Amino acid sequence: MSAGTDDERLERDRREQFVTDQVINSFAGTPDPRFQQLMESLVRHVHSFVRENRLTEAEWAQGIDFLTRCGHITTDRRQEFILLSDVLGVSMLTIAVNNPPASNATEATVFGPFFVADAPHVELGGDIAQGAAGSPCWVSGTVHGTDGRSIAGARLEVWEADQDGFYDVQYDDDRTAGRAHLFSDAEGSYRFWAVTPTPYPIPDDGPVGDLLTAGGRGPMRAPHLHFMVTAPGYRRLVTHIFVRGGDYQDSDVVFGVKESLLVDFIEHPAGTAAPDGSHPDRAWTSAHFDIILATEGESS
Ligand SMILES: [Fe+2]
């Protein structure tokens, strides 16, 4: 659509800027300066999006409908807005902004929509699978500070999908499986049984799936195991380990893969002795992951 003569274009720009200025001015009395800053910036950016793209009313309605569908499909077990944030890279960008490189600390990655608070406690060497289907996987490592000191009593939350690509919360039977928390021992070591991670699609039967399809994108995540590690005095770490050489590493739908988080998952035949002295009757894997936590407030 042509904006006509220079005069017409100037008048158009003036009328459009007037709307933006009105909205920004409406926040002039905001008591919380941070909230005011965020709202002003949000309004400027959203208005710029509308202007730059000459957004049609039909497209605006389509956007509203999309967000409405995201809201309707979201429950306490399905979080479409986190998915949306993830597939647009907003989650990874927020992580990058808030987790500046801190010397040699372990890198963070997306939280994802499947964390559940108050997952069961397992003892060191216990099994977080709790019935989740998959080949057994022995996961072990240490928790240290960036100064090399071991961290005893660090709390590790771990969660993962089963071999069919589903988290427990995606089943309708209220099961708890493939998730637990445990604590590092006096030497800062940890170990547990899990299932070997496999690739899975993010839930793509809702509006975010439609968005991916419209964008010619696939829904797959590179195989991974989630960690959230906390210890007093240290920055909380939310991350994954990824199976080195696993599928979808270059096209992870939420942009979560980082080179430093690729871990070898070593395959062992059935019957070979595991580190805990057991002899699994199926083929199993083992993975080692040393975790380094930044001190609170630490940056490079
Ligand atoms: Fe995941």
Side-chain angles (χ1 to χ4, degrees), residues 186-266:
E187 284 76 47
S189 296
Y190 73 88
R191 53 210 165 266
F192 59 90
W193 282 105
V195 296
T196 306
T198 53
Y200 67 83
I202 62 165
D204 61 348
D205 57 345
V208 170
D210 294 344
L211 181 154
L212 292 173
T213 301
R217 292 173 54 184
M220 298 303 289
R221 292 231 53 209
H224 61 272
L225 171 68
H226 292 258
F227 280 79
M228 180 166 72
V229 188
T230 51
Y234 293 90
R235 192 195 292 170
R236 184 182 81 160
L237 172 68
V238 174
T239 196
H240 309 349
I241 53 175
F242 292 91
V243 179
R244 191 190 304 280
D247 292 335
Y248 305 105
Q249 248 157 46
D250 297 327
S251 60
D252 184 47
V253 66
V254 305
F255 312 99
V257 178
K258 291 180 174 176
E259 174 69 29
S260 69
L261 300 176
L262 299 178
V263 170
D264 292 317
F265 280 67
I266 300 164

Side-chain angles (χ1 to χ4, degrees), residues 163-183:
Q163 68 177 12
D164 298 317
F166 295 110
Y167 287 80
D168 52 3
V169 292
Q170 295 178 277
Y171 291 96
D172 290 333
D173 55 8
D174 284 334
R175 73 182 71 178
T176 298
R179 68 176 72 245
H181 74 275
L182 61 154
F183 296 93

Side-chain angles (χ1 to χ4, degrees), residues 118-168:
D118 303 320
H121 174 245
V122 298
E123 298 296 335
L124 286 168
D127 188 0
I128 75 153
Q130 303 287 320
S135 75
C137 178
W138 176 259
V139 184
S140 61
T142 58
V143 187
H144 283 86
T146 49
D147 58 4
R149 272 194 299 199
S150 60
I151 303 174
R155 180 182 174 118
L156 294 90
E157 300 272 355
V158 286
W159 66 105
E160 63 174 342
D162 63 18
Q163 68 177 12
D164 298 317
F166 295 110
Y167 287 80
D168 52 3

